[in-house]
Amino acid sequence: MTTSINLSTPWSRQRLQQTLAADGVIAYPTEAVWGLGCNPWSEFAVDTILALKQRPVEKGLILVASSVDQVQFLLRHLPEEIQARATAHWPGPVTCVVPDVKRQVPDWVRGDHDTIAVRVSAHPLVRQLCDLAGMPLVSTSCNPAGREPARTPWQVQRYFPAGIDLMVSGSLGTSRKPSTIIDIASGRRLR
């Protein structure tokens, strides 16, 4: 059974940081569903998530951040107009697909794309996770491919009785569906 923590104590916050630093995978509540997350610069951790979900690496994954500052490394290379379009949606339940012009995000997160999907969350727990990690995290729905995303800790455990290193307890946000996805360069809605 996966260890479950809340982030109310220094010990639990340290345990989260250690898990992410050791290429671990976490499960946590997001705005609408439970998510799986990890350090995006850990190929091992990302491969673990892809294997759990039975998701091909080519599709790419989303990065979630606590603030625009955490994704500024991507935005600063874009025209001001595109930066402004992206930041107008944040924080909130909108994922923006932005060009990764300097290829700063690893291929195992970006997939077969020259872009990366990024969301600056308004969910307090998600923001706390990213702040404690000191970086954006991979964020993908907690479910095997083709199944409904988990909405309860029980569903997380049922889908993944093994493979998740740490479950962070908390409440889902008020959204009933996953984030909207927008291609920020074209303005086209993808989901």
Side-chain angles (χ1 to χ4, degrees):
M1 176 157 279
T2 302
T3 300
S4 183
I5 63 167
N6 64 44
L7 296 177
S8 63
T9 66
W11 174 87
S12 62
R13 294 188 291 272
Q14 183 178 29
R15 176 78 187 267
L16 170 78
Q17 291 168 325
Q18 290 170 339
T19 299
L20 293 170
D23 302 327
V25 171
I26 63 171
Y28 56 95
T30 70
E31 292 87 348
V33 297
W34 275 75
L36 294 174
C38 69
N39 174 349
W41 285 272
S42 167
E43 185 174 10
F44 180 85
V46 173
D47 283 348
T48 301
I49 286 178
L50 294 173
L52 285 168
K53 287 182 63 77
Q54 302 160 11
R55 180 183 174 93
V57 67
E58 296 82 20
K59 290 180 87 172
L61 295 163
I62 292 173
L63 291 182
V64 67
S66 65
S67 66
V68 172
D69 286 346
Q70 281 194 335
V71 293
Q72 193 61 45
F73 72 100
L74 290 166
L75 298 178
R76 72 171 154 251
H77 302 291
L78 302 176
E80 287 184 18
E81 175 187 328
I82 292 177
Q83 291 182 47
R85 267 191 248 154
T87 58
H89 294 289
W90 299 330
V94 177
T95 299
C96 296
V97 176
V98 300
D100 184 4
V101 296
K102 299 285 186 179
R103 299 186 70 81
Q104 297 176 90
V105 177
D107 293 342
W108 54 79
V109 176
R110 212 177 45 250
D112 283 347
H113 310 283
D114 294 325
T115 56
I116 184 69
V118 179
R119 182 173 80 252
V120 175
S121 182
H123 190 286
L125 179 61
V126 175
R127 293 177 81 144
Q128 184 180 15
L129 290 170
C130 294
D131 283 340
L132 288 167
M135 65 183 151
L137 296 172
V138 163
S139 183
T140 184
S141 60
C142 190
N143 58 290
R147 304 285 299 271
E148 286 295 314
R151 292 190 183 273
T152 66
W154 177 83
Q155 283 181 298
V156 173
Q157 291 285 342
R158 186 164 177 232
Y159 281 155
F160 305 116
I164 295 173
D165 299 293
L166 200 60
M167 184 178 295
V168 181
S169 61
S171 299
L172 293 177
T174 58
S175 296
R176 294 307 306 156
K177 53 188 174 178
S179 65
T180 300
I181 301 177
I182 296 173
D183 180 316
I184 211 63
S186 68
R188 195 177 59 164
R189 185 178 173 149
L190 305 176
R191 176 174 79 188

